[in-house]
Amino acid sequence: MNFSHPKFAVVGHPNKGKSSIVASLALDDSVQISDTPGTTLKKRSFPLVADGKILYELYDTPGFQRARHVLEWLKKHDVSADKKQEAVQSFLYAHQEDERFRDEIELLEPIMEGAGIIYVADGSKPYSQEYEAEMEILRWTGQPSMALINLIDQADYVQEWKRALEQYFKMVRVFNPMTATFKKHLQLLESMAQLKEEWTAPMKISIKYFEQYHEQMLCRTAETIAQLMAESLAHVERLTLKDKEAAATEEKKIEEMYKKTLRDLEYKSQKNIEKIWHHGHLQKEEKSLAFENMDLFSKQSASIFGLTQKELIVTGATGGAITGAGVDLLLAGHTLLLGGAIGAVIGGASAYFGFEKLAKINLLGQKLGQKYLQIGPMENQNFPFILLGRALYHAQTVASVSHARREKLKLETNQAFKNQWMDESKRKSLYRYHKKFQSEAKIDAEDIKTYEKMILEILKKCINV
Ligand SMILES: Nc1nc2c(ncn2[C@@H]2O[C@H](COP(=O)(O)OP(=O)(O)OP(=O)(O)O)[C@@H](O)[C@H]2O)c(=O)[nH]1
Ligand SMILES: [Mg+2]
């Protein structure tokens, strides 16, 4: 359906988070944001484009600099209410070349061309009368308007701001661009739809598209993670040998190559997910958002995202190394009572749980001239859970990070995350698919689809929507 998308100008005092609100609502991390007042010098439009459609467009604008002077000029015209809009227009014509009012002209132009007004105030600073000239000018434009209270710091003057803003604006909402969830974003769009009757229908269409787009982002994330899992678990690495026998250095080399390929696949997948969620600046950073100091094959990573021995046994991921009484005893925590024989099995199993062994290295091509070493597919049963846990954690973070954040982001990982989404039955079903991906046979596309659906379900749970 073709429709003319709604436009809004985000305006206010300098340094109150106007650009941050634009970045968060347009999902655009290229908006210039800084703590220096006067960062935004020119108006600039940021459309939210989803699937090639513009859902709405936001104008970032410089803050008011000489609001009192502008208001004085307007008041000199002393016109009736129906002429106030014309007076603002006259102000713009009369001051096109006037450097003193450059910022006011930049911010008033999109409004006079029909954009709705979003006035931004910082609710962590006390209200004062100095803002009244700004709000009065906006009233003169006659355009539909709402106010957003953003809390930049800890202090809370929301109530006094509300009382003042309600004198000037039909709608006043609290909105924090740094922490707003998808739900909050949608609620704000719903309010924006109520600003003017003619805008309600097109805004509702935008909201519907936006919801669909969000669902699509989740699906594409699930697809990316499922592909990473299938590809990594099935991966086979080869190294052609110089001599008949493989030297120890060559065995080490192929193992390193194999690990590097898996690390690269994870990195590529993370970058794709960052792109899905419109996080281009994370793309540009050389290192990935996540796990800078926690290698995929590290003990730390295994202890945060991997399964415990007990969980592996209950899931069935021990490859049959421990059965019957051994399992019962281990689960009951009676390890001290174990006799020698069972103790040996458990001992063997622990080595298997350990993270040293990932996959077998085979010497191949004996009969043909060329000899090579081959490693893979992945045999370790814990690795898939580690890889998946990291992918989900990264996706959860990327999906919830505000587009207004400009500092370098770090991931704070914790065990609690794993427990949020994984219970015994989920572990078991995931395990079944991991086994399939780990077998050398060609992976069935249907299996990947089913696995993808499971991932989507988990994502919806762990991404705060
Ligand atoms: N903690 C916190 N900081 C915020 C929030 N909103 C804005 N900031 C910070 O406040 C500063 C100003 O934000 P901007 O979005 O650049 O403000 P602006 O109103 O566009 O500023 P000018 O373009 O200079 O008029 C930046 O350092 C932001 O990171 C918020 O909700 N929480
Ligand atoms: Mg700005």
Side-chain angles (χ1 to χ4, degrees):
M1 190 197 285
N2 211 355
F3 75 105
S4 128
H5 60 266
K7 294 175 184 150
F8 299 91
V10 180
V11 298
H13 213 66
N15 216 33
K16 299 297 176 198
K18 301 181 294 297
S19 301
S20 303
I21 285 175
V22 170
S24 132
L25 296 181
L27 311 187
D28 195 323
D29 60 7
S30 71
V31 181
Q32 260 193 313
I33 292 169
S34 98
D35 53 10
T36 317
T39 298
T40 309
L41 295 169
K42 295 236 161 252
K43 64 172 180 288
R44 193 178 144 193
S45 121
F46 291 92
L48 173 59
V49 184
D51 245 357
K53 281 189 272 290
I54 299 183
L55 303 192
Y56 50 79
E57 198 172 339
L58 295 162
Y59 284 93
D60 191 17
T61 66
F64 281 97
Q65 295 290 349
R66 299 170 68 85
R68 257 188 237 127
H69 290 90
V70 177
L71 192 60
E72 268 168 34
W73 192 96
L74 292 174
K75 281 184 171 162
K76 271 191 206 135
H77 284 68
D78 192 23
V79 290
S80 58
D82 64 322
K83 297 271 174 12
K84 283 193 182 333
Q85 207 168 14
E86 282 170 34
V88 179
Q89 200 69 64
S90 311
F91 173 83
L92 292 184
Y93 284 136
H95 297 89
Q96 274 307 320
E97 305 300 325
D98 193 336
E99 272 299 301
R100 289 174 307 162
F101 296 113
R102 201 188 54 202
D103 294 330
E104 277 73 14
I105 291 181
E106 285 288 317
L107 77 94
L108 287 170
E109 265 173 0
I111 298 174
M112 296 312 287
E113 283 161 15
I117 298 167
I118 297 180
Y119 181 77
V120 179
D122 176 6
S124 66
K125 302 278 180 327
Y127 174 75
S128 95
Q129 269 189 312
E130 65 171 315
Y131 300 100
E132 288 173 12
E134 299 173 1
M135 299 191 285
E136 188 63 33
I137 296 168
L138 294 174
R139 194 144 68 181
W140 277 61
T141 68
Q143 275 299 93
S145 57
M146 73 186 295
L148 293 185
I149 305 175
N150 175 25
L151 283 154
I152 293 188
D153 282 318
Q154 302 298 324
D156 185 342
Y157 297 94
V158 170
Q159 288 318 317
E160 61 180 72
W161 267 104
K162 258 194 181 150
R163 280 195 297 275
L165 291 167
E166 276 163 1
Q167 298 281 327
Y168 292 87
F169 302 96
K170 180 168 133 185
M171 232 183 274
V172 179
R173 299 280 181 273
V174 175
F175 184 79
N176 186 328
M178 296 299 176
T179 56
T181 57
F182 174 64
K183 218 184 236 159
K184 287 257 166 62
H185 188 157
L186 274 183
Q187 280 167 0
L188 182 58
L189 297 184
E190 294 279 356
S191 305
M192 284 153 73
Q194 303 308 322
L195 278 185
K196 190 176 175 180
E197 215 181 325
E198 292 96 298
W199 293 356
T200 309
M203 205 57 203
K204 292 266 181 208
I205 297 175
S206 292
I207 292 170
K208 199 183 86 216
Y209 281 146
F210 186 50
E211 280 175 309
Q212 286 171 357
Y213 185 60
H214 191 261
E215 176 74 19
Q216 210 186 82
M217 295 200 280
L218 285 166
C219 290
R220 284 164 59 203
T221 304
E223 188 185 357
T224 309
I225 293 178
Q227 270 165 8
L228 166 74
M229 294 300 293
E231 204 176 332
S232 304
L233 300 187
H235 179 69
V236 170
E237 190 89 29
R238 284 181 175 186
L239 174 69
T240 308
L241 297 180
K242 287 197 202 89
D243 298 316
K244 259 206 235 143
E245 295 301 318
T249 51
E250 285 166 316
E251 290 206 0
K252 212 169 165 43
K253 187 174 173 194
I254 194 168
E255 202 178 321
E256 271 316 308
M257 283 163 60
Y258 178 67
K259 283 184 175 175
K260 181 176 183 309
T261 306
L262 298 192
R263 284 189 193 107
D264 288 350
L265 285 173
E266 185 192 47
Y267 183 77
K268 214 172 75 195
S269 167
Q270 288 175 349
K271 291 285 134 187
N272 284 337
I273 289 170
E274 286 159 16
K275 206 159 150 191
I276 292 171
W277 294 90
H278 294 225
H279 277 294
H281 79 278
L282 296 176
Q283 294 265 312
K284 279 178 224 124
E285 275 170 20
E286 285 207 349
K287 294 203 168 172
S288 185
L289 159 72
F291 317 120
E292 265 178 46
N293 300 312
M294 202 206 295
D295 184 65
L296 175 58
F297 301 99
S298 66
K299 279 211 174 81
Q300 199 192 358
S301 195
S303 76
I304 292 176
F305 297 106
L307 301 188
T308 62
Q309 291 201 0
K310 268 187 191 176
E311 286 168 343
L312 279 168
I313 295 167
V314 176
T315 305
T318 57
I322 312 173
T323 48
V327 175
D328 294 341
L329 286 170
L330 193 60
L331 292 180
H334 289 173
T335 40
L336 288 176
L337 301 175
L338 292 178
I342 294 171
V345 176
I346 303 279
S350 316
Y352 184 81
F353 295 130
F355 212 62
E356 309 310 318
K357 191 164 172 292
L358 298 169
K360 265 195 219 93
I361 300 179
N362 292 316
L363 179 63
L364 296 171
Q366 219 73 321
K367 285 182 192 127
L368 315 163
Q370 196 82 307
K371 291 175 191 57
Y372 57 88
L373 281 183
Q374 178 172 301
I375 182 169
M378 175 60 65
E379 280 175 61
N380 191 299
Q381 302 298 327
N382 212 357
F383 179 81
F385 288 98
I386 297 167
L387 184 65
L388 178 61
R390 284 165 62 102
L392 289 170
Y393 192 72
H394 170 265
Q396 181 202 41
T397 310
V398 171
S400 55
V401 139
S402 165
H403 293 84
R405 296 269 294 266
R406 291 294 171 270
E407 73 275 25
K408 199 159 167 53
L409 298 165
K410 273 204 297 203
L411 277 189
E412 309 287 340
T413 43
N414 58 40
Q415 187 76 33
F417 168 73
K418 193 179 93 179
N419 303 329
Q420 272 172 25
W421 61 270
M422 205 161 52
D423 56 19
E424 193 185 319
S425 88
K426 202 154 273 153
R427 263 200 305 271
K428 280 186 174 163
S429 21
L430 288 167
Y431 168 67
R432 274 206 306 280
Y433 284 88
H434 295 163
K435 280 296 273 186
K436 289 187 185 203
F437 300 155
Q438 285 174 294
S439 69
E440 273 166 284
K442 201 172 169 337
I443 298 172
D444 189 345
E446 275 306 303
D447 282 341
I448 301 192
K449 277 276 155 227
T450 319
Y451 186 74
E452 198 181 304
K453 278 199 196 117
M454 289 165 57
I455 301 293
L456 181 62
E457 214 177 278
I458 297 172
L459 277 174
K460 284 185 175 173
K461 231 183 193 176
C462 62
I463 290 178
N464 188 8
V465 287

